[in-house]
């Protein structure tokens, strides 16, 4: 047997891979309402920008792209941040282009945490952060979230903390940023030297008249941290793999350095499509948000205790004795079990609103039966 580097052995079970395998193994008649894979395609003008660019046979399009990305893409994200979130960014120093925020969240751990230092991760929180911590050889410490999504800072360690990951609107807890939470995070960072990594993947998906709130809109944020933004959710471009890290110039520079060593840039037609998405008409962003909000209304009306202020997920308590396994085996409906998101997720489940209406209706009917004990 070939020796395995400890980096590989440290990796936790990939929650979504094993969940999907369990759901597929249960058979074709299962309705899967657990999986967050956007079901509305990207805007047509974005697809056209990709295709138009790909038709150009020159090396400028099909050769190696500039490693750190086209300047115009970075200007486009800066323009969007200014107009939508009221945040001014320097495209040259404060914006890094990455193939999706999954890559970003791993690379941020690599460029921020020395081996053995701590990274605080929200509990409940997005399981891919665990993989990032493991790859960096850092220590995973749970940052417990109270019921309103606010971190319990007083219970958190303050020594050797390299980074704190936060995520609002939150997956899976589906809460929007509680008021003052970013100020609290900045104070924690100033006192401990930790970097703040805010995952804004669902930034535009907030409901009930809330406005999207960027971490970088708060004074002092860019001195202590960065924000990850993704085209996956706002534009339905999950498969395209496009994301950004914006904010602290030193952290952005480290990401750009890492990218020179392990990525070699992003296909130019994808970058042209990103420009089209970010600078073109934004009506589909609102249509998408409104669609999820309508689905949210249907779901929370049916499931006792269900909650969702943003994201395309609903987080709800499971009644005593109603488990993921029973839902799957007896009721033929799959949700994402809460314990996979951390100890605080035990007894909860996540339902995805990125589910086509017909499947959502059927999944909801099956869940209603299960939760009613029928
Ligand atoms: C909280 C959170 N962060 C990051 C990601 C990764 O998004 P991307 O498609 O940009 O890699 C997801 C995807 O589901 C997510 O839910």
């Amino acid at each position: 047997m070939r020796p395995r580097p400890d980096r590989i052995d440290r990796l936790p079970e990939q929650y979504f891979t094993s969940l999907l395998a369990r759901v597929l193994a249960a058979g074709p008649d299962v309705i899967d309402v657990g999986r967050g894979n956007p079901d509305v395609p990207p805007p047509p003008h974005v697809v056209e920008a990709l295709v138009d660019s790909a038709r150009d046979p020159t090396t400028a399009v099909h050769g190696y792209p500039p490693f750190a990305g086209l300047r115009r893409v970075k200007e486009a994200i800066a323009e969007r941040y200014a107009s939508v979130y009221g945040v001014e960014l320097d495209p040259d120093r404060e914006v890094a282009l990455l193939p999706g925020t999954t890559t970003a969240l791993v690379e941020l751990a690599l460029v921020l945490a020395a081996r053995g230092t701590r990274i605080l991760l929200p509990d409940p929180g997005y399981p891919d952060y665990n993989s990032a911590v493991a790859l960096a050889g850092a220590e995973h410490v749970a940052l417990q979230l109270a019921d309103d999504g606010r971190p319990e800072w007083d219970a958190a360690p303050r020594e050797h903390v390299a980074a704190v990951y936060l995520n609002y609107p939150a997956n899976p807890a589906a809460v929007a940023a509680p008021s003052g939470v970013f100020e609290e995070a900045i104070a924690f960072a100033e006192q401990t030297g930790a970097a703040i990594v805010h995952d804004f993947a669902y930034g535009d998906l907030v409901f009930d008249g809330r406005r999207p709130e960027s971490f970088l809109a708060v004074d002092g944020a860019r001195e202590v941290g960065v924000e990850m933004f993704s085209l996956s959710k706002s534009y339905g471009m999950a498969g395209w793999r496009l994301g950004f890290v914006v904010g602290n110039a030193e952290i952005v520079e480290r990401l750009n350095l890492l990218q020179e060593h392990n990525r070699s840039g992003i296909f130019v037609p994808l970058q042209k499509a990103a420009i089209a998405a970010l600078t073109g008409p934004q009506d589909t962003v609102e249509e998408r948000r409104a669609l999820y909000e309508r689905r949210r209304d249907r779901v929370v009306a049916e499931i006792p205790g269900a909650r969702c202020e943003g994201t395309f997920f609903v987080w709800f308590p499971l009644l005593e004795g109603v488990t993921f396994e029973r839902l799957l085996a007896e009721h033929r409906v799959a949700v994402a079990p809460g314990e996979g998101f951390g100890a605080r997720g035990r007894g909860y489940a996540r339902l995805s609103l990125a589910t086509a209406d017909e499947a959502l209706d059927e999944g909801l009917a099956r869940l209603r039966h299960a939760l009613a004990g029928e």
Side-chain angles (χ1 to χ4, degrees), residues 5 21 82 99 211 227 246 306-307:
R211 285 185 51 75
E227 183 160 84
V246 296
R307 173 172 80 187

Side-chain angles (χ1 to χ4, degrees), residues 93-95 222 225-226 246-256:
R93 297 174 59 251
E94 295 180 323
V95 180
R222 77 186 70 200
V226 288
V246 296
N248 186 272
E250 189 194 343
I251 301 175
V252 163
E253 192 183 0
R254 290 187 197 179
L255 288 174
N256 283 335

Side-chain angles (χ1 to χ4, degrees), residues 26 50 63 95 126 136 145 168 198 224 246 290 297 348 372:
L50 174 89
V95 180
Y126 185 56
L145 301 187
Y168 301 102
H198 180 236
V224 298
V246 296
D297 290 344
Y348 283 80

Side-chain angles (χ1 to χ4, degrees), residues 306-341:
R307 173 172 80 187
C308 172
E309 299 173 347
T311 73
F312 50 49
F313 300 110
V314 172
W315 186 237
F316 64 98
L318 289 173
L319 299 176
E320 193 70 32
V322 180
T323 60
F324 167 79
E325 282 76 19
R326 275 193 61 196
L327 288 173
L328 195 60
E330 294 169 25
H331 300 276
R332 313 304 288 157
V333 60
V335 293
E339 60 270 23
F341 300 96

Side-chain angles (χ1 to χ4, degrees), residues 36 100-103 105 126 129 167 171 199 201-202 230 232-233 238 241-242 313:
T101 50
T102 306
T103 303
L105 63 92
Y126 185 56
Y129 303 151
N167 167 224
N171 176 12
D199 182 350
Y202 298 91
S230 173
S232 298
K233 324 291 175 181
R241 313 310 306 132
L242 287 163
F313 300 110

Side-chain angles (χ1 to χ4, degrees), residues 5-58:
D6 64 344
R7 182 176 313 116
I8 293 294
D9 287 331
R10 280 197 308 265
L11 281 172
E13 178 179 72
Q14 219 295 350
Y15 173 71
F16 297 110
T17 310
S18 51
L19 180 59
L20 189 60
R22 283 158 85 186
V23 174
L24 290 177
D29 62 324
V30 168
I31 300 280
D32 186 357
V33 291
R35 198 155 174 242
N37 204 358
D39 66 314
V40 184
H45 70 273
V46 174
V47 178
E48 273 155 34
L50 174 89
V51 173
D52 281 354
S53 174
R55 284 211 176 92
D56 176 350
T58 61

